Amino acid sequence: MKVKDELMKFSEVFDELEAIAQDSPLPKFTEADMTKSAELISWELKRPWPTNQVKERKGPGGKMLSYVDARQVMARLDAVVGPDGWQSHYSEIGGNCCCTLSIKMGDQWIAKSDGAGETSIEGEKGQFSDAFKRAAVSFGVARYLYRDGPLLTAEQYEQKLPRPTA
C-alpha cells in the first residue's frame, strides 16, 4: 500500500481549504471566538449544514446516503475553532488509514480517532477523507446525517437545542 504517498497527495487538499472557507455560509472565526466554551464549540460543530450543501449517493442495497465532503468539514472546523484550533494526524494501522483529529477547547486539546480502508469510490485517497470525516463525526460533526428519516435543518436544530451562551 502506498499510504505515505497518498498522505502527500492528500495534503494538497488542504491548499484548497482556504478558498472553500471563503465561500462558507458560516461566520468567520474571530479572536473573540477564542473564549468559546466547550459546550458552545460542540453545539456549533454539530449544527446541520444547509440542505443544499448535503450531497447524496447510492449506498448498499440502493439506499440513498447523505454526506458532506472533507473540505466542508475542514471549513466548519475553521469557522468554529479557527485554523489553528484543530489539527489532524494520520497513521497506518493494518494497511488502513487512521486519522486523529484534535480540537482545542479552552486550554485543552481533545483528540479522537477513527479509521477507514480503501474505498470503491476513491481508492486509497478516499480512505484519508473517510478517516478524517469519521474522526470528525466522533465530535458530532455531521453525525445527524447517519440517522434514518428526514434530515434536521439548522432551524430545527436551534429550536430543539437552543444555542448555549458564551
Side-chain angles (χ1 to χ4, degrees):
M1 180 194 286
K2 305 171 189 168
V3 172
K4 290 181 184 177
D5 292 340
E6 290 300 321
L7 179 58
M8 294 304 294
K9 290 177 190 174
F10 186 72
S11 68
E12 294 170 5
V13 169
F14 290 94
D15 294 339
E16 298 176 29
L17 179 59
E18 189 171 338
I20 291 168
Q22 295 300 320
D23 293 335
S24 173
L26 295 170
K28 303 298 181 247
F29 182 83
T30 66
E31 290 297 317
D33 290 329
M34 295 182 75
T35 61
K36 287 182 184 175
S37 68
E39 182 182 27
L40 180 56
I41 291 170
S42 179
W43 185 89
E44 289 180 353
L45 290 174
K46 293 175 183 174
R47 193 166 190 269
W49 265 262
T51 54
N52 66 343
Q53 292 183 12
V54 176
K55 301 170 183 170
E56 289 189 328
R57 67 173 178 85
K58 281 192 179 180
K63 181 180 177 181
M64 292 305 291
L65 303 175
S66 299
Y67 71 97
V68 292
D69 69 32
R71 290 177 185 93
Q72 289 173 278
V73 174
M74 292 173 195
R76 169 70 54 95
L77 291 166
D78 281 350
V80 173
V81 297
D84 61 346
W86 68 276
Q87 50 189 288
S88 56
H89 299 278
Y90 298 88
S91 57
E92 181 181 352
I93 299 175
N96 294 318
C97 179
C98 178
C99 176
T100 298
L101 177 62
S102 301
I103 298 177
K104 191 167 188 180
M105 294 190 181
D107 293 333
Q108 281 190 319
W109 283 94
I110 309 298
K112 298 186 181 195
S113 302
D114 207 331
E118 289 186 26
T119 67
S120 60
I121 296 170
E122 294 181 314
E124 288 181 3
K125 181 181 175 187
Q127 69 181 321
F128 287 91
S129 295
D130 284 355
F132 174 74
K133 291 189 298 182
R134 288 178 181 177
V137 166
S138 67
F139 282 100
V141 178
R143 188 182 297 161
Y144 76 102
L145 296 175
Y146 290 89
R147 33 186 311 248
D148 288 330
L151 294 181
L152 193 65
T153 65
E155 294 77 20
Q156 291 168 327
Y157 176 74
E158 290 177 27
Q159 288 174 351
K160 188 175 181 179
L161 298 166
R163 181 184 183 90
T165 55

